[in-house]
Amino acid sequence: MAYEQKNTWASLGATFAILIFYGVRLATILNRYGLSEPQKIYNLWFWIIGLTIGLTIIGTIATHIGSAVAQAVKEPGVEPEIDSTEDERDQHIKLMGTQTAYIVSSLGGGAAMLSLVLGADALVMFNILIVTGLFATISENLTKLTLYNRGF
């Protein structure tokens, strides 16, 4: 598996975990307090930002270490190598993934603005933006993995 594919899998796993955590915590906060305690939702946003950065870094490192260990066990005595070169194909796949993320982000931004125009609270708009950001990352990673698996 290529270096970029490992990074994409790590990012996808971290983003799915964060999306689940966010959904559960937000549902708990809204069921318990509604929108009357915005500070709790603000704190959740800071957790999400920190978890996104931390889990992506840790996931990437763990994926590469696990891959190196698996390669060392599979082929004893052979030095595990990390091929982090990026060719034109990798750049094109990355651009296609970014395009997908931009489309999802744009739709989510439009939905967030529409919610504000229709009279929803600003907290609703920011939650739409956060969920859209997570879905944009997931769609970007799924696009990249699909293109890598097709041999694009």
Side-chain angles (χ1 to χ4, degrees):
M1 187 180 300
Y3 181 79
E4 281 299 319
Q5 280 181 288
K6 292 175 191 171
N7 286 344
T8 304
W9 276 110
S11 176
L12 184 64
T15 307
F16 267 125
I18 291 165
L19 182 63
I20 291 168
F21 172 77
Y22 183 72
V24 169
R25 286 293 299 146
L26 185 63
T28 303
I29 290 170
L30 291 176
N31 283 337
R32 195 171 293 162
Y33 305 106
L35 295 175
S36 64
E37 294 281 337
Q39 187 61 38
K40 299 215 180 279
I41 296 175
Y42 300 149
N43 291 339
L44 178 61
W45 293 343
F46 290 117
W47 272 100
I48 294 304
I49 292 168
L51 282 174
T52 301
I53 294 168
L55 281 179
T56 302
I57 291 170
I58 291 169
T60 300
I61 292 169
T63 300
H64 289 291
I65 289 173
S67 174
V69 168
Q71 185 178 358
V73 168
K74 186 177 172 182
E75 300 172 8
V78 176
E79 184 75 24
E81 60 184 60
I82 297 176
D83 182 20
S84 62
T85 57
E86 187 176 280
D87 59 4
E88 188 175 331
R89 182 187 127 218
D90 289 329
Q91 291 173 354
H92 191 67
I93 288 173
K94 193 182 290 187
L95 284 173
M96 296 292 284
T98 302
Q99 179 184 22
T100 304
Y102 284 170
I103 290 169
V104 173
S105 293
S106 297
L107 292 173
M113 287 188 280
L114 183 63
S115 73
L116 198 60
V117 167
L118 294 176
D121 196 40
L123 287 174
V124 173
M125 180 187 73
F126 284 115
N127 282 310
I128 291 172
L129 290 173
I130 288 178
V131 169
T132 298
L134 292 171
F135 277 119
T137 303
I138 290 169
S139 67
E140 175 184 14
N141 290 328
L142 289 175
T143 299
K144 286 180 184 179
L145 289 173
T146 301
L147 292 173
Y148 275 119
N149 288 335
R150 283 185 187 167
F152 182 77

